[in-house]
Amino acid sequence: MKTSSSTSPAVWLVLLAAGGTFALTMGARQSMGLFLGNLNSSTGLGLAQISLAFAFGQLWWGLTQPFAGLVADRYGPGRVLILGVLLVCAGTALIPLMHSSAGLILAIGVLAAGGAGMAGPSVLMAATTRLVPPERRGMATGIVNAGGSFGQFVFAPIAQGMTAAAGWVSALQLLAVLPLMALPAAWVLRKRPAAVGAPAAAPVEPTGQVLRRALRDRSFLLLSGGFMVCGFHVAFLATHLPGVVVSCGLPAAVGAWSLAVIGLFNIVGSFGIGWAIGFQGGRWRMKSLLLMIYLVRGVAVLVFVLSPKSSAGMLVFAAVMGVSFLSTVPPTAGLVARFFGPAHMGTLFGVVMLAHQVGGFLGAYLGGKTFEATGNYTWMFYADAVLAFGAALMHLPIREASRVAVPAAQPA
């Protein structure tokens, strides 16, 4: 009988497939904020209505992930990833054809965001966790996470340049085609969990049972609450940072470069956090790393709000936020795996991602509502800072001990 090492793809191929898929889907999705002004001018719906479509996309991206993770846990990630990529392409291509709030919700919120959720972190992180050795998981998840950041770094300037050269409709059509390059990754990551486990693995706890235990676990709930705040940050900036730039009287191109800088420096943050998780066998506690990340965010937001606005200052703010932007993902995924093991990683990390996207819905939607009500984003930034400090405190009581339970006919 072949061992898992002989039947599983090489680690570098797994990382290329998962990181590349995340780069292509995240790059397309995170660049859509650049088109908010164009959509407003084209449809005349108003910033709040268009923000609602983006906000619904944040929520739907999260809602799809527990179910996509459940299917991937049972049947393997291959088909889930293929369907997800095709939906991203279809939804993005349809955006310029939609002139109503319901149409934009369908294209941006249901199709594009739902597809990105199916080909998103819950499935990709779970596949990576199962296909690489335990001692490499910290750095591996950091590399996959960096793939999403690299996509944002590359796609934002491409979208801005294409908009300037051929118009925003052509730019969206290009973003609709590029994710198709992720389709070969589905074959690399296709293996079912049973195919890559140990030959004589112990029985796996039923999904419903482990899900009920997780939802009663204080540490799991605190981790999810902190990740909800992360979603608020990420969605607010991804959707409204170009608008923040314009409201500060800065050139529109600074918005695209700010998104690109966030992506570039998040690569640094993702690699750094992956190294820190795996440093000398994991001497650095993951909850402590998360606490520090949220503290950095809170301080950075306050400094930005209180400082004079300039192009250089905007790019420095983007760089600082970029280091912490998605660097929460590897330690959060690592804690989920430590709590309950890799067998149900797709499902449980999908639940955590759902919490993240509830925060994302609020960040994207309230950003538009706040701007319409006040003419600026100042109060959103203050709320952002308060939430960041609150999220840091939420990680203090978390216990990192394993909760893995092996079902057996034993008395309780």
Side-chain angles (χ1 to χ4, degrees):
M1 178 181 295
K2 292 182 179 180
T3 64
S4 61
S5 61
S6 63
T7 58
S8 299
V11 170
W12 67 266
L13 188 56
V14 171
L15 298 181
L16 178 63
T21 299
F22 202 21
L24 291 163
T25 58
M26 180 67 77
R29 185 168 173 272
Q30 293 291 84
S31 300
M32 287 185 184
L34 294 170
F35 303 101
L36 196 149
N38 300 111
L39 288 169
N40 191 23
S41 300
S42 174
T43 63
L45 291 172
L47 194 62
Q49 285 298 307
I50 298 172
S51 295
L52 178 61
F54 281 89
F56 186 85
Q58 294 290 336
L59 186 60
W60 193 247
W61 190 70
L63 283 168
T64 60
Q65 295 210 40
F67 300 103
L70 177 62
V71 174
D73 283 343
R74 290 189 177 182
Y75 305 109
R79 294 180 181 87
V80 178
L81 292 174
I82 290 173
L83 180 58
V85 169
L86 293 178
L87 287 175
V88 170
C89 297
T92 306
L94 288 172
I95 291 173
L97 305 178
M98 300 301 179
H99 301 285
S100 66
S101 179
L104 288 176
I105 289 174
L106 173 64
I108 297 172
V110 177
L111 298 177
M118 296 175 71
S122 65
V123 174
L124 295 173
M125 292 293 181
T128 302
T129 298
R130 287 191 291 256
L131 288 168
V132 302
E135 66 274 10
R136 297 187 184 181
R137 286 174 183 167
M139 182 57 75
T141 53
I143 291 172
V144 174
N145 198 53
S149 308
F150 181 75
Q152 181 177 338
F153 170 65
V154 172
F155 274 50
I158 289 176
Q160 182 69 28
M162 189 68 177
T163 300
W168 67 277
V169 174
S170 297
L172 274 172
Q173 290 171 344
L174 177 63
L175 293 184
V177 171
L178 290 177
L180 291 173
M181 292 190 294
L183 290 176
W187 184 85
V188 176
L189 302 173
R190 72 192 186 284
K191 288 184 178 294
R192 300 182 183 183
V196 296
V204 176
E205 186 178 7
T207 300
Q209 181 174 313
V210 73
L211 185 57
R212 286 190 293 272
R213 288 202 301 118
L215 294 177
R216 292 194 298 265
D217 189 284
R218 184 187 183 207
S219 294
F220 183 83
L221 295 177
L222 288 171
L223 183 68
S224 301
F227 214 41
M228 183 185 296
V229 173
C230 177
F232 186 93
H233 296 304
V234 170
F236 169 57
L237 290 178
T239 305
H240 295 287
L241 189 57
V244 172
V245 168
V246 173
S247 71
C248 293
L250 301 175
V254 175
W257 282 109
S258 295
L259 289 177
V261 167
I262 287 176
L264 176 63
F265 278 84
N266 194 41
I267 296 172
V268 177
S270 295
F271 277 114
I273 206 73
W275 171 84
I277 291 172
F279 178 64
Q280 293 189 8
R283 271 178 52 186
W284 293 14
R285 291 192 298 177
M286 286 182 276
K287 75 168 191 176
S288 300
L289 294 171
L290 287 167
L291 186 151
M292 289 188 291
I293 290 169
Y294 288 116
L295 284 178
V296 167
R297 285 187 184 180
V299 172
V301 168
L302 284 181
V303 170
F304 172 74
V305 172
L306 299 174
S307 300
K309 304 302 182 288
S310 66
S311 297
M314 187 68 67
L315 293 176
V316 170
F317 171 68
V320 175
M321 292 303 291
V323 171
S324 69
F325 200 63
L326 291 176
S327 57
T328 54
V329 175
T332 302
L335 282 175
V336 173
R338 179 172 293 179
F339 289 164
F340 300 105
H344 299 288
M345 181 69 182
T347 305
L348 294 178
F349 191 58
V351 172
V352 178
M353 284 303 307
L354 174 57
H356 184 277
Q357 294 313 114
V358 170
F361 173 88
L362 295 173
Y365 181 59
L366 292 179
K369 292 292 288 185
T370 300
F371 185 83
E372 283 199 343
T374 65
N376 58 62
Y377 293 96
T378 303
W379 284 106
M380 279 296 292
F381 279 111
Y382 282 130
D384 208 15
V386 171
L387 288 171
F389 293 130
L393 293 175
M394 288 175 69
H395 287 80
L396 286 174
I398 289 178
R399 295 188 306 108
E400 295 198 6
S402 172
R403 284 90 157 145
V404 176
V406 178
Q410 298 178 10

